[in-house]
Amino acid sequence: MPKVQVNSDTFLEYDKQGNLLTALEQAKFDVHYQCRQGYCGACRCRLLSGNIRYLQEPLAFVRQGEFLPCCSIPIGDIAIELVD
């Protein structure tokens, strides 16, 4: 199971069920998002190390070093930072 390091001090194990946003929510992380209200891009996070794969191409513009957890999964262990 891939491990996700969040904000350099907390870890969770990604159980390969659903996307990263769902895994973060289940682990009780406070992730800002508006995906379910029709706005794409609010859940963006910084990818500090490792790789992700998009399940579907995001609608929002994503800068270098950022990703959207609502439509991605980790490829192996990753380290991320939640953006306020």
Side-chain angles (χ1 to χ4, degrees):
M1 242 186 278
K3 289 184 177 52
V4 179
Q5 181 180 359
V6 182
N7 295 339
S8 74
D9 61 356
T10 310
F11 291 85
L12 70 96
E13 289 194 14
Y14 177 74
D15 65 5
K16 299 182 182 181
Q17 302 265 336
N19 58 46
L20 275 166
L21 179 60
T22 301
L24 290 165
E25 286 180 307
Q26 289 174 348
K28 306 293 186 223
F29 283 97
D30 185 24
V31 182
H32 301 281
Y33 64 89
Q34 293 177 336
C35 312
R36 296 174 186 128
Q37 288 82 28
Y39 176 75
C40 185
C43 67
R44 75 182 64 241
C45 296
R46 288 186 189 93
L47 182 62
L48 304 176
S49 67
N51 293 299
I52 57 100
R53 178 174 64 87
Y54 282 111
L55 299 170
Q56 59 196 43
E57 197 62 33
L59 297 174
F61 173 76
V62 182
R63 292 182 199 105
Q64 179 82 20
E66 295 182 338
F67 74 101
L68 300 180
C70 65
C71 54
S72 62
I73 59 171
I75 304 295
D77 295 347
I78 63 172
I80 67 171
E81 182 179 291
L82 302 179
V83 178
D84 291 328

